[in-house]
Amino acid sequence: DVCSSDLLLSEIVELARPQAEASKIEVDIKNEAEGVEVRVDRDLLKQAVLNVVVNAMQAMPDGGALRFESSASEDTAEICISDTGSGIPPELREKIFRLYFTTRQEGSGIGLAMTFRIVQLHDGTIDFTSEPGKGTTFFIRLPIAV
C-alpha cells in the first residue's frame, strides 16, 4: 500500500494526542516530507510508531514535550519521535529492541521488538539517540516508493 508519510504521521499524532494531553505532554509536529510516499502496510506501521510513542509518553510521567518530525532525502523518508523523558541508560541501550526486555513491572517487552521487526519488514531502519535526564529520539527510516 502506498501512502504519504506526512499523512501517516498526522494520523499517528491524532491517535496519541488525547493520552498526551491527559498526561500534560505538549505535542509538536514538524512536517518536511509533504507528498513523499512510502510503500507500507499502513496499520502495521502505525502500530510500530505508536509503540515508540507510548514508550515516550511513559518516560514522561510528570509531563514534557513530544515532538514528531518527518523529513526526506533522495530515497528515504524519515520519521523522528523525540521526548523529554528520563532517557535510556547506556547499559540498557543494546537491549531495548530485544523481545521480552522491559524496565516496567507491567511491561511485556514486546513493543519495541515488534517495532524493530515491522520496520525491518519494510526494508527500513530504526535507531535512537538518548541522553539520561534529557530525553530520547527515535529515527525510523523507510525507503521512498518509486
Side-chain angles (χ1 to χ4, degrees):
D1 205 15
V2 173
C3 69
S4 135
S5 65
D6 55 328
L7 194 67
L8 192 69
L9 194 62
S10 298
E11 284 178 29
I12 291 161
V13 170
E14 289 319 306
L15 286 168
R17 197 182 291 278
Q19 194 184 334
E21 285 174 358
S23 306
K24 297 183 181 65
I25 294 168
E26 195 181 305
V27 177
D28 183 34
I29 312 164
K30 189 175 173 194
N31 244 328
E32 291 184 350
E34 219 166 298
V36 172
E37 295 193 324
V38 286
R39 192 179 302 280
V40 296
D41 179 312
R42 198 186 190 110
D43 290 335
L44 261 186
L45 197 72
K46 273 203 294 206
Q47 184 59 60
V49 178
L50 276 170
N51 288 341
V52 174
V53 171
V54 166
N55 282 6
M57 290 194 283
Q58 286 170 340
M60 300 182 284
D62 304 317
L66 183 61
R67 185 172 173 82
F68 295 85
E69 275 185 71
S70 71
S71 61
S73 65
E74 216 169 288
D75 52 5
T76 310
E78 183 176 79
I79 294 172
C80 297
I81 299 114
S82 304
D83 66 57
T84 55
S86 50
I88 300 166
E91 66 274 14
L92 301 183
R93 291 184 191 180
E94 65 195 45
K95 298 179 183 162
I96 69 159
F97 293 118
R98 281 190 204 157
L99 192 55
Y100 307 128
F101 174 76
T102 182
T103 56
R104 292 194 317 277
Q105 270 185 308
E106 76 290 359
S108 65
I110 291 173
L112 286 180
M114 188 171 112
T115 293
F116 188 81
R117 194 73 196 99
I118 291 169
V119 171
Q120 271 189 329
L121 285 170
H122 288 92
D123 296 321
T125 60
I126 180 165
D127 206 355
F128 67 95
T129 59
S130 187
E131 209 178 317
K134 294 253 173 83
T136 302
T137 300
F138 277 86
F139 306 91
I140 296 173
R141 296 179 184 93
L142 299 163
I144 288 175
V146 279

